[in-house]
Amino acid sequence: MYKYKNESIYIAGPECFYENGYDLWSAMGKSAEHYGFNVVMPTKNALKLDNEDLRKNADEIFQNCAKAMNEATAIIADLEFFRGFEPDGGTLFEIGMAHARGIRCYGFTRDKRDMVFKYKNAVLKDCIVYDEEGRILPYKDLPFCPSLIGSCKIIEGNFNEALKLLMIDVDETRKGKEKLKENEKIHKENSSKPVAYLASPIRFDLKAKEKYDKMKQICESYGIKAITPLDDNEETENIKSEDPYAIAYNTFKRCEHHIRNCDILIADLSDFHGFEPNSDTAFECGMAWQLGKKCFGYMPNTLNMIDRIPNYKNGEIFQDLCGHVVEDFNYPINLMFASSMPIFEGDFEKVMDEISKRIN
């Protein structure tokens, strides 16, 4: 199987939190190796995680993941819902990193139905579907968020089916029938001020523009120019279409342009449809970090995960209600976020004073 010897797969997903999940991860890796692929899963490297400061252990895991990602030519990610109605936030972060590098991105799921069929806390009022927070259900006509729709080929099936699609794509490239597009250039906003992209689920609120305008004013008071997911740009036209996939891809390209264009990313990492951050925001964090942007996060509550997520102790580990491991690194959120950026407690207005000091 020499024809895949130049391909290295990064396998992402929440399996590391499953009971016997590492065995499942290993089986996926063995399957890829059977076909001749290299596998650069972070679990392949032995790490010394005996530091008394648990955060330093988390940081070492993150750096190991980042190193493995930089060796990969493709990512295959498990997109199953995790602790709610969104995929694992760390996995979204890794897909964002992969997309920023311009490598092939694939995802697999057992259920590719539209979100309106999968979100169990929906409320129907006047023929409109709302989420439990009163927002019109985000991306209800899509299986996942626009960032995943725009960046990934998504298979309804398992890892091996995603792997076989990757093999087809590699074969087509070797024939010259498909060419990988070059990674897009990073455009720079014509501004004398630092430019911050405000990544948050506010984009789905009924009063999103009003809220973003207030956040822009706050940034302006600190000498920062803010751009948001709702802002237009010259390079991405707003298409006129009723097809939710076309709209999602257009939305993804607009936000991607903003991230490549900014100097700073400020992310709202609060829980969204469960105990994970909003998927678009998580993806954008990974993409921005991989592109070398200054990244900052904020949450209404920065208690450690084991104090924030309902869990019970089983031997030496903490598990949630489904038996999934809850990280115990003295961090408030998945280490992909906590080890890559400072995370502040409070709302946007409260944390901007500290963020502006770090920026300056």
Side-chain angles (χ1 to χ4, degrees):
M1 296 292 182
Y2 67 91
K3 60 184 177 180
Y4 303 123
K5 66 181 181 180
N6 295 324
E7 301 294 330
S8 297
I9 302 174
Y10 186 107
I11 303 176
E15 280 74 13
C16 57
F17 304 116
Y18 293 175
E19 188 172 356
N20 299 326
Y22 283 92
D23 293 336
L24 178 57
W25 240 356
S26 177
M28 294 178 189
K30 291 295 184 183
S31 181
E33 289 171 347
H34 167 73
Y35 287 104
F37 288 92
N38 299 305
V39 176
V40 291
M41 293 168 63
T43 53
K44 285 210 159 189
N45 298 326
L47 301 180
K48 189 177 180 182
L49 302 177
D50 58 358
N51 198 301
E52 291 184 3
D53 184 345
L54 298 180
R55 294 187 173 194
K56 290 185 178 179
N57 293 330
D59 296 346
E60 183 172 349
I61 294 172
F62 174 78
Q63 291 301 328
N64 186 50
C65 290
K67 180 178 181 294
M69 180 65 71
N70 284 330
E71 297 171 1
T73 60
I75 183 173
I76 300 180
D78 182 347
L79 302 180
E80 291 304 304
F81 284 174
F82 186 67
R83 293 187 182 136
F85 303 103
E86 297 284 320
D88 167 47
T91 299
L92 267 292
F93 189 105
E94 290 168 322
I95 296 171
M97 295 167 72
H99 179 75
R101 290 199 53 238
I103 66 176
R104 302 177 191 269
C105 298
Y106 300 82
F108 63 93
T109 176
R110 290 174 296 176
D111 190 350
K112 201 178 173 183
R113 291 179 302 162
D114 294 342
M115 186 64 71
V116 70
F117 297 109
K118 299 186 289 186
Y119 182 77
K120 304 305 181 185
N121 294 345
V123 176
L124 181 64
K125 183 178 179 182
D126 298 328
C127 299
I128 298 174
V129 180
Y130 296 89
D131 69 9
E132 59 188 330
E133 298 296 327
R135 296 171 289 229
I136 295 176
L137 183 60
Y139 35 91
K140 69 180 182 65
D141 298 322
L142 300 168
F144 297 104
C145 70
S147 293
L148 281 176
I149 299 299
S151 63
C152 290
K153 292 184 177 180
I154 302 175
I155 296 91
E156 186 170 67
N158 58 30
F159 174 83
N160 283 333
E161 289 168 300
L163 178 65
K164 288 175 182 178
L165 179 57
L166 168 59
M167 291 162 65
I168 290 172
D169 288 345
V170 172
D171 292 344
E172 292 302 293
T173 301
R174 292 173 65 234
K175 291 187 223 175
K177 292 177 66 176
E178 176 191 312
K179 294 186 182 298
L180 286 173
K181 71 173 185 177
E182 293 183 4
N183 203 6
E184 297 183 36
K185 295 179 180 178
I186 299 175
H187 307 284
K188 292 304 297 178
E189 183 85 13
N190 185 19
S191 173
S192 58
K193 302 175 181 177
V195 177
Y197 176 73
L198 308 183
S200 82
I202 287 174
R203 69 189 81 189
F204 305 117
D205 288 3
L206 295 176
K207 295 183 178 180
K209 185 179 184 306
E210 177 183 321
K211 292 181 179 180
Y212 274 135
D213 284 345
K214 182 178 178 181
M215 293 165 75
K216 286 182 177 181
Q217 291 173 5
I218 293 170
C219 288
E220 189 69 30
S221 70
Y222 288 102
I224 300 167
K225 178 176 180 178
I227 51 178
T228 79
L230 302 185
D231 292 337
D232 292 331
N233 61 62
E234 295 180 359
E235 299 191 16
T236 309
E237 297 180 4
N238 286 319
I239 62 169
K240 295 180 180 180
S241 174
E242 295 182 359
D243 186 332
Y245 272 76
I247 296 169
Y249 187 71
N250 186 253
T251 300
F252 164 70
K253 295 303 292 184
R254 182 178 70 243
C255 294
E256 177 188 28
H257 173 84
H258 288 325
I259 294 167
R260 294 183 183 278
N261 197 26
C262 74
D263 305 297
I264 305 150
L265 177 133
I266 303 174
D268 177 354
L269 298 176
S270 56
D271 291 341
F272 184 79
H273 292 173
F275 288 104
E276 294 295 308
N278 165 247
S279 291
D280 282 310
T281 302
F283 174 94
E284 291 164 349
C285 286
M287 182 179 177
W289 185 88
Q290 187 70 37
L291 291 173
K293 312 297 182 180
K294 293 181 180 178
C295 297
F296 302 92
Y298 62 98
M299 302 171 65
N301 184 336
T302 56
L303 285 172
N304 292 336
M305 285 186 71
I306 58 173
D307 297 317
R308 209 170 56 77
I309 296 176
N311 65 82
Y312 61 95
K313 193 167 186 181
N314 184 5
E316 295 300 315
I317 63 173
F318 297 90
Q319 294 177 290
D320 67 13
L321 300 178
C322 295
H324 299 152
V325 174
V326 179
E327 291 180 63
D328 182 21
F329 292 118
N330 290 341
Y331 273 140
I333 193 170
N334 185 297
L335 65 86
M336 299 302 291
F337 304 94
S339 294
S340 64
M341 66 185 78
I343 299 176
F344 304 100
E345 182 174 278
D347 60 20
F348 183 80
E349 186 169 8
K350 178 181 177 182
V351 303
M352 270 308 298
D353 185 58
E354 184 62 32
I355 290 176
S356 67
K357 293 176 183 175
R358 301 285 187 103
I359 291 171
N360 294 326

